Amino acid sequence: MELNRRQWLKTTALAGGFTLFNGLTGIQPLTAEERIKFNPRPFSTPVRLSSNENPYGPSERVRTAIKNAFDEGCRYPYSYSDQLAELLAQKHGVDPESIIITGGSTEGLKIAGITFTANGGEIIAAKPTFLAMMQYAEMWGAKINWVPVDEHMGYDLQEIEKRISSDTKMVFLCNPNNPTSTLLPAEQLTDFCASVSKRTVVFSDEAYYDYIEDPNYPSMIDLVKKGENVVVSKTFSKVYGMAGMRIGYLIAPPHLAQQIRRNIVAMSNVYAIEGAKEALLDDEFYRFSLKKNKEAKAIIYNTLDHLELPYIKSHTNFVFFKSGKNINELGSQMLDKGVSIGRAFPPFYDWCRISTGTIEETQFFAQNLIGLY
Ligand SMILES: Cc1ncc(COP(=O)(O)O)c(C=O)c1O
């Protein structure tokens, strides 16, 4: 019997198991030492590829730092967070006053949103994007001016600029964007932020910045340093593998940092802060995370290429692809097979966002996706 390529792939994948993908990408299994140092998630179903978590970490060094801080749990975290702010200020070349430590960057997004819309007004944001700031600000009375992404799923900066009015209190950029994984062209981004920050506050969510492969790609911290009306958010949840610990930070010029800081609610905690301090030094884990993310993306790309499903080139730890199936239907089919995938991102109901997992988890996703076509 002659098999077409799709049938072949299906049978080979199911019969040959994980080797098909290893053959395609040349990925090596983890050594015993790597397992200890980098702490991969144990395989169990449902495999959770729905929240863009790092499947590795906290690293051995971070875990040890947290254990060593165990007895400090009776202390309030303020002096500890001041120390972390010092380290982050050095890393980014800003004044410690410009760093605001938050309970995950989500707290930073929420308090920045309400700081600037407390007296009414609107936030301009792309659709779709990461919603934490906008949902929270809306609850407190802000209006959201949604600008659809363009035909390549990128930001429509021209349209955003056109919509700025006296009502606009903030422009929210998520770059790379979640869920589309797109990255703004560097020059466009800098020119846009430099000019728009003269008229309103620009917020640059850089949760996925570490995954950008261009070493010269700019961070909007450059504009913070010049005292422009720009706020940047960063997180320890992604490349550092600490999503459960809730620690992130904002970087803002002192005149904005002062205002935002007043609205802090959660802040972070001693263990997360001590872990974060160590994470900044653990270069080996950082590089490992990036390498494994690339490998997992290669498996996802290969799978989508074989299935002839279109996808966006990802600058993050997830891939947004056109499944051609309603996302809710695909979601329950995949869950039946033991894989939890991303939710719906209106208006892209026949697209799917899949986070990178460990190699084993990603292969499991790939096999099961193939099984559906
Ligand atoms: C773009 C973006 N910003 C911020 C966050 C929130 O991260 P954190 O864990 O720091 O609150 C996420 C989480 O997925 C995200 O995708």
Side-chain angles (χ1 to χ4, degrees):
M1 185 180 69
E2 204 175 74
L3 297 176
N4 68 29
R5 198 163 67 111
R6 200 167 277 186
Q7 287 164 331
W8 170 81
L9 184 72
K10 200 164 168 171
T11 41
T12 318
L14 293 176
F18 298 153
T19 51
L20 168 71
F21 302 103
N22 289 344
L24 285 172
T25 57
I27 296 164
Q28 297 302 315
L30 295 189
T31 62
E33 191 192 355
E34 284 176 324
R35 290 189 165 273
I36 292 168
K37 275 191 190 163
F38 307 133
N39 197 23
R41 258 185 328 226
F43 183 91
S44 76
T45 54
V47 168
R48 219 166 66 184
L49 302 179
S50 48
S51 309
N52 305 339
E53 295 153 339
N54 187 338
Y56 304 95
S59 70
E60 186 185 25
R61 282 182 60 172
V62 168
R63 294 201 311 278
T64 304
I66 293 166
K67 283 178 205 153
N68 291 342
F70 198 67
D71 287 346
E72 316 285 312
C74 60
R75 306 274 182 203
Y76 286 111
Y78 310 112
S79 62
Y80 300 82
S81 77
D82 288 347
Q83 290 164 11
L84 176 60
E86 285 278 350
L87 294 176
L88 291 168
Q90 277 167 28
K91 171 178 159 84
H92 296 300
V94 297
D95 203 273
E97 268 184 278
S98 286
I99 306 285
I100 306 170
I101 309 290
T102 52
S105 60
T106 296
E107 183 182 26
L109 289 159
K110 288 180 175 177
I111 61 174
I114 57 165
T115 299
F116 299 108
T117 57
N119 299 317
E122 66 169 28
I123 298 173
I124 302 183
K127 189 171 187 152
T129 194
F130 187 67
L131 295 174
M133 173 188 286
M134 278 62 72
Q135 284 178 338
Y136 196 67
E138 248 180 335
M139 274 168 43
W140 290 90
K143 298 263 177 301
I144 313 299
N145 192 339
W146 297 108
V147 178
V149 292
D150 66 19
E151 71 273 23
H152 307 293
M153 298 251 178
Y155 268 81
D156 187 346
L157 292 183
Q158 264 188 345
E159 181 60 27
I160 291 176
E161 199 156 1
K162 229 172 25 189
R163 293 206 200 170
I164 297 171
S165 70
S166 56
D167 265 357
T168 309
K169 304 299 178 203
M170 185 180 271
V171 169
F172 175 73
L173 297 182
C174 182
N175 188 48
N177 190 32
N178 177 8
T180 56
S181 77
T182 50
L183 184 67
L184 276 156
E187 331 68 61
Q188 253 188 25
L189 168 71
T190 307
D191 291 352
F192 175 88
C193 292
S195 112
V196 167
S197 61
K198 306 261 182 280
R199 301 170 64 194
T200 186
V201 176
V202 176
F203 191 104
S204 175
D205 180 335
E206 298 186 0
Y208 299 101
Y209 180 85
D210 302 83
Y211 297 103
I212 299 169
E213 286 183 29
D214 173 1
N216 298 318
Y217 193 83
S219 163
M220 289 306 96
I221 297 171
D222 296 346
L223 295 178
V224 173
K225 287 180 194 167
K226 293 182 180 160
E228 305 291 352
N229 290 314
V230 172
V231 182
V232 173
S233 64
K234 301 268 190 186
T235 182
F236 284 93
S237 298
K238 306 298 174 186
V239 74
Y240 296 105
M242 296 173 63
M245 307 201 58
R246 310 314 297 133
I247 183 157
Y249 55 103
L250 299 178
I251 308 158
H255 70 283
L256 299 183
Q258 252 171 27
Q259 295 176 54
I260 300 170
R261 207 185 298 277
R262 284 188 217 124
N263 289 323
I264 285 182
V265 180
M267 223 266 249
S268 193
N269 63 79
V270 171
Y271 305 134
I273 291 168
E274 291 302 301
K277 281 159 68 178
E278 190 63 27
L280 290 175
L281 302 173
D282 193 353
D283 225 28
E284 205 185 352
F285 178 78
Y286 180 91
R287 281 184 278 110
F288 172 84
S289 281
L290 294 180
K291 174 171 157 257
K292 297 314 278 184
N293 183 58
K294 249 173 116 165
E295 290 176 359
K297 281 204 291 197
I299 294 171
I300 298 172
Y301 289 158
N302 278 332
T303 307
L304 298 173
D305 285 342
H306 281 285
L307 291 173
E308 293 165 15
L309 296 177
Y311 57 89
I312 310 282
K313 184 181 179 300
S314 162
H315 298 272
T316 61
N317 65 349
F318 56 87
V319 177
F320 200 45
F321 68 95
K322 187 168 187 180
S323 70
K325 293 174 187 275
N326 179 280
I327 183 62
N328 296 322
E329 211 173 291
L330 181 66
S332 64
Q333 285 174 338
M334 288 299 283
L335 200 56
D336 281 347
K337 291 174 176 286
V339 185
S340 171
I341 61 175
R343 63 175 176 83
F345 294 99
F348 299 104
Y349 289 102
D350 58 350
W351 284 68
C352 170
R353 188 195 70 187
I354 193 76
S355 314
T356 57
T358 60
I359 299 308
E360 199 182 3
E361 290 172 337
T362 311
Q363 287 167 336
F364 185 74
F365 156 76
Q367 281 185 318
N368 281 298
L369 187 74
I370 289 167
L372 292 182
Y373 286 84

